[in-house]
Amino acid sequence: MSLDKLKLSKALHSSMNKLGYNTPTEFQLKVMSRIVGGQSFIGIAPEGSGKTTAYVLGVLMRLKESLDEAPKFLILTPNEDRGAEIVEQFIKISQNKDLHVVMLSTSRSMKDEVDGLFLGTDIVVATPKCAREVYLKLGLNLNRIQTFVIDDAEEIIRLGMQNPVKELARSCGKVQYLTFSTVEDKKLHFMVDEFMPFVQVVEVG
């Protein structure tokens, strides 16, 4: 099955072909139109099923670059190593050197983080704890968030970061929520049901 089924933009289609991605995964086929269409859902799929690539493509399809100090997309990830991988994936797939994506890090001072965000960004990647800390210092503006992504939700739960996730979600208001995990259980729903009530679960084995 070809990438045509994902209905990507010409630029993203070309980029994926250059990177050697010629066939979408089952999970990507199920969720791409939902992401681009602004639907919220919980995506359950095993490692290697293309969850990250799916939401990276979806965000890039929805993105209208504007160099705004208020980001449009917030991606929460369990650790900074994973965050760096996500940023790299965005840059690699977009092939856009001017893509404004920022990863917040505890290794830098709070002032540096806030100053960096004020320079303008479209996409912010961070751990829940780091994003919350910067938000409480009035450095992370959530007023214009369009899509709120929880990556590797099961690992975020294992590390006990559910409360920062819920606090950030409450601060975003009505946006598109995307949660990705390898498992669906009570702990997952305890974290997301408050801001994703009665949401559809999309699952592949």
Side-chain angles (χ1 to χ4, degrees):
M1 192 169 297
S2 74
L3 284 175
D4 293 339
K5 291 288 185 180
L6 296 183
K7 298 181 179 180
L8 301 174
S9 66
K10 289 183 179 179
L12 286 177
H13 194 290
S14 174
S15 176
M16 292 293 282
N17 280 331
K18 288 178 182 177
L19 293 170
Y21 293 96
N22 300 307
T23 305
T25 66
E26 179 186 1
F27 183 77
Q28 290 163 358
L29 287 168
K30 282 191 172 185
V31 304
M32 184 58 63
S33 63
R34 300 172 191 269
I35 298 173
V36 176
Q39 296 179 29
S40 296
F41 65 87
I42 297 171
I44 306 296
E47 292 291 335
S49 58
K51 296 190 293 295
T52 303
T53 301
Y55 74 71
V56 168
L57 285 170
V59 166
L60 290 172
M61 285 285 287
R62 299 193 70 200
L63 177 64
K64 295 179 180 178
E65 297 174 47
S66 61
L67 191 57
D68 196 326
E69 69 179 48
K72 310 300 189 303
F73 304 90
L74 175 63
I75 300 168
L76 300 180
T77 186
N79 57 67
E80 292 183 10
D81 287 341
R82 176 68 180 135
E85 292 174 1
I86 294 168
V87 172
E88 182 180 355
Q89 187 85 325
F90 269 107
I91 294 171
K92 182 171 66 174
I93 290 177
S94 70
Q95 295 192 358
N96 180 358
K97 294 180 181 178
D98 295 323
L99 180 68
H100 306 296
V101 53
V102 170
M103 189 184 81
L104 303 180
S105 173
T106 55
S107 64
R108 296 187 291 270
S109 71
M110 184 64 66
K111 182 180 184 302
D112 288 342
E113 296 290 50
V114 172
D115 289 348
L117 288 171
F118 280 158
L119 292 175
T121 185
D122 295 306
I123 304 164
V124 170
V125 181
T127 67
K129 288 183 178 179
C130 188
R132 179 180 178 274
E133 288 176 6
V134 178
Y135 171 72
L136 291 177
K137 293 293 184 180
L138 304 181
L140 177 58
N141 186 343
L142 300 179
N143 292 334
R144 298 185 187 176
I145 293 294
Q146 298 173 5
T147 302
F148 184 107
V149 179
I150 305 172
D151 181 80
D152 287 347
E154 72 281 6
E155 185 65 9
I156 285 176
I157 291 168
R158 188 187 71 80
L159 294 170
M161 292 188 284
Q162 299 96 316
N163 285 337
V165 171
K166 291 193 281 187
E167 289 177 27
L168 290 164
R170 284 195 295 267
S171 300
C172 284
K174 188 176 181 180
V175 301
Q176 178 189 34
Y177 292 104
L178 304 175
T179 297
F180 299 95
S181 179
T182 58
V183 295
E184 181 187 8
D185 55 20
K186 291 181 179 179
K187 290 182 179 179
L188 176 66
H189 282 280
F190 178 76
M191 179 173 73
V192 305
D193 279 357
E194 177 183 324
F195 54 91
M196 298 180 72
F198 313 112
V199 75
Q200 186 170 6
V201 176
V202 181
E203 185 172 4
V204 300

